[in-house]
Amino acid sequence: MPKLFLLLLLCSLASHCAKGQTDTDQQYQQAVTLMEQERYSEALKLLTPLVKQTPDEFTYRQSRATCYYQLKHFADAAVEFRILTQLVPENTEFVFQTGNSYEQLDSLRLAVQYYSTAIQQQPDNFLYHFKRGTVYLKQSRWSPAINDMNEVIALNKNYDNAYHNRAIALYKAGEEMRACNDWCRAALLGNKLSVTHLERNCKRYPFNCDK
């Protein structure tokens, strides 16, 4: 799970807790504090009864989903994030995190489905395209992987991982020269894996990073 999403989540949860201090709020604040300390198993013990008591309160369920994900309980995380997409359908991040959880489970068809929905809702988010393109790589679907990495580069031309992943797809698709050019660009942007690929696969090609 992206650290920025987790940080924003914890900030919003702290703000939510500060608005009231009923017994439920105090229990939730304790759970948030435990999450801030990365004590996710203990936080879950406090969050689960809150979710059962108020199943439509999305902040409780969001916190529990985050705990499940951080504990690598990805099946439980996927269920929680999927419910959150129904409770708060306008929140694209929940759609994305559902896809992310399914990807961790190697449920790649479902991961693509949710990443595609996230892209439909926020087409300018380069990370959503990158994650779907990465799944296409895992599925050996070279053409759609290349298309997604093209979108990533159009949105963020300095994202080295997009050049690296596009190079893998190009190389597998038989376009070795273009692949080496992309690995060269990625290497110049600091991608160490691309340096390894250049040394292993591109010595016989006159690649040009500027093309």
Side-chain angles (χ1 to χ4, degrees):
M1 179 176 296
K3 291 184 179 179
L4 178 59
F5 174 73
L6 181 58
L7 179 60
L8 292 173
L9 167 65
L10 292 173
C11 288
S12 67
L13 300 183
S15 174
H16 173 84
C17 293
K19 293 180 180 178
Q21 282 299 315
T22 65
D23 289 344
T24 299
D25 289 328
Q26 290 177 4
Q27 182 172 336
Y28 187 50
Q29 178 64 69
Q30 291 173 8
V32 172
T33 299
L34 289 169
M35 290 174 67
E36 291 172 343
Q37 298 170 353
E38 300 184 2
R39 296 161 63 186
Y40 298 111
S41 294
E42 295 172 68
L44 269 177
K45 293 177 182 178
L46 295 175
L47 291 166
T48 294
L50 294 178
V51 172
K52 289 182 179 179
Q53 178 182 336
T54 319
D56 291 338
E57 174 53 61
F58 82 90
T59 52
Y60 301 159
R61 197 175 289 278
Q62 179 183 14
S63 300
R64 188 165 73 163
T66 302
C67 287
Y68 281 139
Y69 191 94
Q70 294 299 322
L71 291 167
K72 303 186 185 305
H73 298 172
F74 298 121
D76 292 322
V79 169
E80 293 291 351
F81 281 121
R82 191 173 66 240
I83 293 171
L84 283 164
T85 66
Q86 299 166 355
L87 292 175
V88 195
E90 68 275 12
N91 191 316
T92 307
E93 190 63 26
F94 293 153
V95 178
F96 173 72
Q97 291 300 340
T98 305
N100 199 25
S101 299
Y102 279 126
E103 183 182 356
Q104 297 299 325
L105 290 166
D106 284 329
S107 297
L108 301 183
R109 182 185 61 80
L110 286 170
V112 166
Q113 175 185 323
Y114 280 94
Y115 286 153
S116 296
T117 301
I119 289 169
Q120 289 173 2
Q121 294 179 3
Q122 288 189 15
D124 292 337
N125 190 312
F126 78 91
L127 182 60
Y128 296 172
H129 288 280
F130 179 78
K131 290 290 286 182
R132 187 177 68 177
T134 301
V135 174
Y136 285 144
L137 280 179
K138 293 178 181 179
Q139 295 177 316
S140 300
R141 298 171 65 185
W142 313 128
S143 181
I146 291 167
N147 290 338
D148 263 338
M149 295 307 156
N150 288 343
E151 289 293 332
V152 175
I153 291 166
L155 293 166
N156 186 347
K157 65 179 181 180
N158 293 320
Y159 193 52
D160 61 294
N161 288 325
Y163 290 105
H164 178 78
N165 281 7
R166 188 172 70 176
I168 292 173
L170 287 167
Y171 195 86
K172 293 290 187 179
E175 299 191 50
E176 290 90 350
M177 184 78 70
R178 290 181 61 197
C180 291
N181 289 341
D182 270 356
W183 276 320
C184 187
R185 291 189 189 96
L188 289 174
L189 289 168
N191 192 298
K192 294 181 180 179
L193 280 176
S194 290
V195 174
T196 300
H197 279 278
L198 280 171
E199 294 173 348
R200 180 186 304 160
N201 301 316
C202 298
K203 289 182 179 180
R204 57 182 173 173
Y205 298 109
F207 56 86
N208 187 337
C209 295
D210 296 327
K211 290 185 179 180

